[in-house]
Amino acid sequence: MSIVTVQLGQCGNQIGFEVFDALFSDSHCPQKFCSKRENEAYQASCKERFFSEEEDGVPVARAVLVDMEPKVINQTLSKAAHSGRWKYGQHSHLCQKQGSGNNWAYGYSVHGPRHEESIMNLIQKEVEKCDSLSGFFIVMSMAGGTGSGLGAFLTQNLQDQYSNSLKMNQIIWPYGTGEVIVQNYNSILTLSHLYRSSDALLVHENDAVHKICAKLMNIKQISFRDINQVLAHQLGSVFQPTYSGEGSFHYRRNPLVDLMEDLVPHPEFKMLGVRNIPQMSENSLAYSTFTWAGLLKHLRQMLISNAKMEEGIDWQVRPPLSGLPTLGKMPLSKELHFNTSIANLVILRGKDVHSADLGAFKDPALYTSWLEPVTAFNVWKTQRAFSKYEKSAALVSNSQSLVKPLDMIVGKAWNMFASKAYLHQYTKFGIEEEDFLDGFALLEQVIASYSNL
């Protein structure tokens, strides 16, 4: 089954390009750990999900590109075409001459309705090329105007027109120090709207990815391209094919449905994060060897201590002892440090994958009391290695890890809102104080629900 990707705004289009490039590179890199037949099945499965075939034999990304300024889309189309390996469709993009000026309201209330018909037509054409549609993957940022405002508008439209297809929004959480003065307003409005219309939000924090580039990849002058390549690697490690079950050598057909079934047991909880191990530069990789036991020990500790990478993990954090009665809701130490999960999915790729022991992820203490580990934990595997790593693991987790950053964004936005700062920029495009208050109320409820796990 196929996934249609919708790339929105400067950020969404730049990341979208790197994702397709990473998927293509991985599916065509030489393999030592699986048979030729298995590798061909993997390539065919990747292609069915993300690419369609053109007459000249160059795969075409199943994507629609939208931005309100032409520069980034033109660069993206040309980079893909010049790679000679894959490209975007000739008529799969829409760009205009005037951006959204980092104003969510302009993207949502002006550009959205104005270009709704053209964009939905482009999406429909992509959908018609799919033999079978798994759903939509929408790539956008929260801080600006086009990705966030237009992204929220389009996700609502997709929900109305394709209510039976799943929608996953991959959103880029802005730097804490801020790129845009009104980024917290834009973020509040984006998140509260997506919470109503999207099936899952896959969140990447710019600050966390920046640290991975600096500490694990040893990059001195970090560019957006470096950050986007780390993001693309993480997304590829989730979306590339895996076997449909233990002992099976068939690749799963419907990745989005499988992700939702494994990770979103309740519509109140739909914020997902990704962690990967190992992540390192080519130079370091030459001198490194990994065991599944070592990788999984680190990955589990990254989860429970809410670390985004394997460097600087707090090894003091321990799960509360299961089976012991707790005083009140939970012990204080758990409140302070321990990251409780609703659901976790571990994806293992590479050599000897069937020997990996995942028992430590099935500990009931890791999960909320209303779900059994047998429901809350899942694993996907394939012997085919991903990218340059002989063994690699990805963890997609629905947990409390975003409570703190969400609480901070809501707090900062509320302080500005209380003094009515910059509100006139939103009200002149029809976004009223009521809309902000609805957004605050919804996100406060999300924070409370996750905090009480």
Side-chain angles (χ1 to χ4, degrees), residues 24-134:
F24 187 90
S25 299
D26 167 62
S27 67
H28 287 77
C29 73
Q31 278 304 309
K32 299 194 286 279
F33 312 114
C34 66
S35 67
K36 185 168 180 245
R37 195 175 114 246
E38 221 176 309
N39 195 41
E40 282 167 359
Y42 181 93
Q43 286 181 342
S45 180
C46 167
K47 189 162 168 230
E48 182 195 14
R49 285 177 189 194
F50 292 103
F51 296 95
S52 57
E53 193 70 83
E54 279 283 283
E55 292 89 45
D56 57 5
V58 178
V60 177
R62 297 186 189 275
V64 171
L65 295 75
V66 180
D67 198 6
M68 292 299 118
E69 294 169 298
K71 184 179 165 189
V72 171
I73 283 196
N74 290 339
Q75 285 172 348
T76 306
L77 293 171
S78 129
K79 256 162 76 177
H82 283 128
S83 76
R85 307 183 311 159
W86 64 277
K87 62 183 181 185
Y88 287 105
Q90 231 176 329
H91 307 292
S92 60
H93 61 278
L94 177 126
C95 54
Q96 298 296 307
K97 296 285 182 278
Q98 180 193 9
S100 305
N102 291 324
N103 186 331
W104 188 93
Y106 198 75
Y108 184 85
S109 304
V110 179
H111 284 317
R114 185 179 290 164
H115 303 296
E116 173 183 359
E117 196 179 334
S118 309
I119 297 169
M120 294 310 285
N121 283 342
L122 290 176
I123 290 171
Q124 189 184 337
K125 281 179 187 151
E126 275 310 314
V127 169
E128 285 167 0
K129 290 181 200 167
C130 305
D131 290 338
S132 177
L133 178 69
S134 176

Side-chain angles (χ1 to χ4, degrees), residues 329-370:
K329 173 75 187 78
M330 53 176 82
L332 197 60
S333 61
K334 181 179 175 189
E335 288 233 313
L336 292 176
H337 296 296
F338 184 74
N339 177 35
T340 303
S341 300
I342 287 182
N344 289 310
L345 166 66
V346 170
I347 303 168
L348 304 178
R349 301 174 182 277
K351 188 182 181 185
D352 302 330
V353 72
H354 295 296
S355 68
D357 176 10
L358 289 140
F361 282 91
K362 297 173 185 172
D363 179 353
L366 270 58
Y367 299 94
T368 179
S369 56
W370 47 266

